[in-house]
Amino acid sequence: MIVLIAPENDIPNEIVIIHQLFEAGLEVYHLRKPSKNKTEYVAYINKIKPEYHNRIVIHHYHELVNSYGLRGIHFQEQKRIDALENGNGYFNNLQMLGKTMSSSFHDPKTLEECSFEFDYHLLSPVFTSISKKGYEGKGFKVSEIDKFIIGLGGITPETTEKALQLGYNGIGVLGGIWNAKNPIKAFTTLQKTLKELKKRPY
């Protein structure tokens, strides 16, 4: 499983590239745009072909899952704490049947002890981040944690094997794709690498 995180700030030809990535086989696209308001989120989603909406997981304005056939919703760490651990009835107005729920974590122990059952968990930084300077990798080993965990941070074709050896069920990527000269080629190379490595026992 490959999870692609959106670039934080819009880049040239972003929507065109996203469509090409979907056509190349991208199945999970996390839409995370902290500086956009709800209207801008809606405008962004409307630019993506409806047949790909079911591959989009939204980080902000979770209520948009009701208006579009999105794949699911994602909780960043503080949002998870506020909405799930300290709040009641968060899901009352969300149409979540058949949708996924995921969350970000930065500590394996917190992830392991989280009582809420997410479909998958993003844990970072596994390796030193490509997109965030000074975000040093921690090399978290998760093979003893009985949850579906996606490793994020510094993921490239070269680090993917190590991620699987550490026990991750899939990989999350941001800078490894968006910072590449050719994002489509970078994705297909990563996709091929993961497919080949998944044939091996870890």
Side-chain angles (χ1 to χ4, degrees):
M1 180 179 180
I2 298 177
V3 172
L4 175 63
I5 315 295
E8 187 167 318
N9 299 306
D10 293 350
I11 64 171
N13 300 315
E14 185 171 327
I15 301 298
V16 172
I17 294 170
I18 289 168
H19 281 121
Q20 291 174 338
L21 288 166
F22 284 138
E23 290 164 8
L26 176 65
E27 295 181 352
V28 187
Y29 180 62
H30 274 229
L31 179 50
R32 176 184 174 274
K33 295 283 186 177
S35 63
K36 288 188 182 298
N37 60 33
K38 185 176 179 180
T39 300
E40 291 168 328
Y41 253 78
V42 168
Y44 187 99
I45 295 171
N46 283 335
K47 292 177 184 177
I48 297 174
K49 294 177 182 178
E51 59 260 39
Y52 296 130
H53 287 176
N54 63 358
R55 304 188 195 185
I56 299 172
V57 173
I58 197 164
H59 279 224
H60 305 94
Y61 311 107
H62 287 166
E63 64 273 17
L64 291 177
V65 77
N66 299 340
S67 309
Y68 296 89
L70 304 181
R71 183 183 182 95
I73 62 176
H74 183 83
F75 290 89
Q76 291 173 266
E77 195 152 41
Q78 192 57 49
K79 179 79 169 181
R80 179 187 74 247
I81 294 168
D82 295 342
L84 303 182
E85 297 179 12
N86 300 327
N88 295 313
Y90 183 83
F91 299 98
N92 288 353
N93 297 316
L94 296 179
Q95 298 168 15
M96 292 302 299
L97 184 63
K99 308 296 183 182
T100 65
M101 286 186 285
S102 56
S103 185
S104 299
F105 293 83
H106 299 92
D107 178 76
K109 186 176 181 182
T110 303
L111 191 160
E112 187 172 19
E113 294 177 351
C114 181
S115 59
F116 192 89
E117 292 188 17
F118 290 103
D119 294 286
Y120 58 95
H121 313 72
L122 296 185
L123 181 61
S124 67
V126 182
F127 308 113
T128 299
S129 175
I130 297 169
S131 58
K132 297 179 180 179
K133 290 184 178 180
Y135 207 48
E136 297 296 322
K138 302 293 179 64
F140 299 125
K141 186 176 181 181
V142 297
S143 50
E144 302 300 316
I145 302 176
D146 188 24
K147 293 185 178 183
F148 198 97
I149 307 173
I150 304 294
L152 177 67
I155 298 294
T156 65
E158 291 72 33
T159 59
T160 296
E161 182 171 13
K162 180 63 175 176
L164 297 182
Q165 290 171 346
L166 289 169
Y168 292 92
N169 303 100
I171 52 176
V173 63
L174 199 165
I177 299 298
W178 298 112
N179 289 6
K181 289 183 179 179
N182 186 331
I184 312 306
K185 184 177 180 181
F187 172 75
T188 55
T189 300
L190 190 63
Q191 186 183 50
K192 183 179 179 181
T193 300
L194 183 61
K195 185 177 180 181
E196 290 299 316
L197 290 171
K198 279 289 190 178
K199 294 177 182 178
R200 307 178 189 176
Y202 288 101

